[in-house]
Amino acid sequence: MIISLGDVPTKATMAVHIRNILFAGTESLEISPGRWTDTFLYPISYNHSLPPWDYGRAVRTKINTLAKYRRGASLWIQVESPGRWYWEEVKSALYGLPLATAITRRDTRPVLTDFSFIPRTFIKPSPGAPAAESWQPFDMADEEIQALRVLARIKTGYTSEVSSLTGYSVWKARRILRDLHKKELIVFHEEPPKEQDERKSFYPFWSVKRKGVSLALRSWGIPKGANFTAYRERRNPKDGRHRRTSRLWIASLRRAWSGAEIWTGWSEVQIPGLRTAPDALAWGKLNGHETLFWLEVEGGGTSGRVIMQRSAKRFRKAILYAEEHDLHLVFALLAKPWAGRAARLAFVGVPENIAVVVADWKGFGALPIPQWKRVVFGRGLKH
């Protein structure tokens, strides 16, 4: 596709390939008079169930092949991001790529200064690349792919967990999962595994098949045969209540705080640099501020002193991250009531852009209203 930076596209992009590596298309950008780039497109969406750091790792699986077989190629990564945090973290995760790379919002065309370094240019527009067939089967809806992405991350889960992590209603998630089961991409289990304490669950249990994982990987742009495991949950707690509380965090937020705008979220994510994995992390807007909703789950199993020290350490890391990225933060501890009370002294010196809530981990959607610079305890945890 030929495009001058001040013009509108002359034709729609189409999927192309270099060897077995798929891209959303190519564009030849005239970045100076009579000089054209050979640029490949890689779209990224905040709503595709991958944290920004893991999407960055997905992009890196394509770099060596593109650089080897397309000398002088550059890369344009188009990030769909309603706020700045996701986009900025993708940029940070892709720092130092050996290809000239422009990382922009989805609807923003790159200018020369958007590239990591000056891309190689040619005296005529690039001829493009061979067309490729779509990785997405013609009978697969986008919402089905989204459910597969979630199941690929969590491996197994209840309908309510898939509902929470996709943002779909339980009714819609159940319908989608049944359709995926008919297509033999996931497995239906009427009874949960023995190690899970889910006797009160009203929803069936699902696990993803290998070919379902394969489709999810293709949807993230991962080439066949690439060694990529970053899409998985970083931990898989054996305690069923702990795991379920983490996965239902997004749905619990949406039920508890109607005034909050929750854009997306993930369970068990690893934040590079901090060496910590929040039990769940959501991202959105609260009181007009772009906000991270950081969850830690505490099931007890140790002394109150250890719980307090552990909570304080996690809280300090969360504060450090929020301050570094100039974000507001709601830090939540969902715990057994006695464990929540034991952690009280962990939350001292709360900064102005931070709110802390502590609540019973069994109270789905029963979260106290957060207040900046304060710690708010839920019912049963104040004394």
Side-chain angles (χ1 to χ4, degrees):
M1 177 179 177
I2 302 170
I3 180 174
S4 174
L5 289 181
D7 300 333
V8 295
T10 58
K11 62 179 180 178
T13 59
M14 61 183 299
V16 299
H17 72 94
I18 298 294
R19 295 290 173 132
N20 68 326
I21 311 297
L22 298 183
F23 292 90
T26 62
E27 291 194 3
S28 200
L29 306 168
E30 189 179 21
I31 63 172
S32 63
R35 303 299 299 186
W36 304 81
T37 66
D38 181 22
T39 304
F40 286 73
L41 311 183
Y42 193 130
I44 284 177
S45 175
Y46 74 99
N47 204 29
H48 284 177
S49 300
L50 271 188
W53 319 284
D54 296 339
Y55 233 138
R57 294 184 177 98
V59 173
R60 290 179 180 272
T61 63
K62 297 189 173 191
I63 298 304
N64 290 339
T65 299
L66 181 60
K68 180 178 180 180
Y69 293 103
R70 191 77 169 202
R71 296 298 178 90
S74 52
L75 191 62
W76 177 9
I77 298 173
Q78 305 161 315
V79 183
E80 181 184 5
S81 175
R84 60 178 175 81
W85 171 76
Y86 194 95
W87 171 59
E88 290 177 349
E89 284 295 74
V90 169
K91 291 178 66 176
S92 177
L94 293 174
Y95 179 78
L97 288 183
L99 289 178
T101 305
I103 305 172
T104 71
R105 300 290 184 95
R106 179 68 62 87
D107 56 354
T108 303
R109 294 179 188 153
V111 297
L112 181 59
T113 54
D114 287 322
F115 284 91
S116 53
F117 53 87
I118 298 176
R120 182 177 177 182
T121 57
F122 305 86
I123 60 174
K124 59 182 181 180
S126 167
E133 293 184 2
S134 174
W135 58 265
Q136 186 169 343
F138 71 92
D139 62 341
M140 289 285 292
D142 290 344
E143 59 190 21
E144 292 176 314
I145 296 295
Q146 181 67 351
L148 280 179
R149 293 184 184 114
V150 166
L151 276 176
R153 282 202 82 240
I154 68 177
K155 293 186 180 180
T156 56
Y158 283 88
T159 305
S160 54
E161 295 170 350
V162 175
S163 167
S164 175
L165 293 168
T166 58
Y168 301 146
S169 67
V170 171
W171 177 88
K172 183 175 181 178
R174 185 185 298 116
R175 174 182 59 78
I176 293 170
L177 290 168
R178 286 171 177 170
D179 289 341
L180 290 173
H181 178 248
K182 291 177 182 177
K183 294 175 181 177
E184 300 183 340
L185 294 169
I186 65 175
V187 179
F188 169 82
H189 306 272
E190 292 196 33
E191 296 293 334
K194 293 181 180 180
E195 70 271 15
Q196 294 206 33
D197 182 18
E198 298 291 352
R199 293 185 295 271
K200 295 182 180 180
S201 175
F202 297 100
Y203 307 117
F205 198 77
W206 310 87
S207 61
V208 63
K209 289 187 174 182
R210 185 174 180 178
K211 55 184 178 180
V213 173
S214 180
L215 271 176
L217 291 173
R218 299 296 84 75
S219 78
W220 289 316
I222 310 301
K224 292 182 179 180
N227 182 19
F228 180 74
T229 59
Y231 64 92
R232 298 172 183 165
E233 282 183 318
R234 289 307 191 267
R235 296 178 296 181
N236 188 14
K238 293 183 178 180
D239 181 82
R241 171 62 65 180
H242 188 292
R243 178 171 50 248
R244 188 164 175 79
T245 301
S246 300
R247 293 176 178 177
L248 293 180
W249 175 233
I250 305 169
S252 186
L253 283 173
R254 286 175 170 144
R255 172 175 288 191
W257 303 332
S258 58
E261 186 178 352
I262 308 300
W263 294 328
T264 190
W266 316 271
S267 54
E268 304 295 347
V269 296
Q270 181 71 51
I271 299 179
L274 286 184
R275 296 184 180 180
T276 188
D279 289 312
L281 189 68
W283 171 51
K285 186 177 288 188
L286 181 65
N287 298 335
H289 303 290
E290 187 171 348
T291 302
L292 288 181
F293 303 85
W294 182 306
L295 173 67
E296 296 291 349
V297 180
E298 181 57 74
T302 186
S303 68
R305 181 180 179 181
V306 170
I307 289 172
M308 187 274 291
Q309 292 174 340
R310 184 161 58 196
S311 299
K313 182 178 179 180
R314 293 169 176 171
F315 183 47
R316 286 195 299 269
K317 287 186 175 183
I319 292 175
L320 178 66
Y321 185 80
E323 290 179 342
E324 181 181 350
H325 293 80
D326 192 23
L327 289 167
H328 280 66
L329 173 79
V330 173
F331 184 92
L333 178 68
L334 298 185
K336 291 182 177 179
W338 74 266
R341 289 191 290 268
R344 290 174 62 93
L345 295 179
F347 310 117
V348 295
V350 182
E352 292 184 1
N353 64 329
I354 309 290
V356 178
V357 296
V358 184
D360 188 337
W361 69 345
K362 290 186 178 181
F364 174 76
L367 301 172
I369 303 299
Q371 300 179 40
W372 304 124
K373 204 179 177 180
R374 291 190 59 186
V375 183
V376 183
F377 290 86
R379 184 178 302 175
L381 281 84
K382 295 182 179 180
H383 302 289

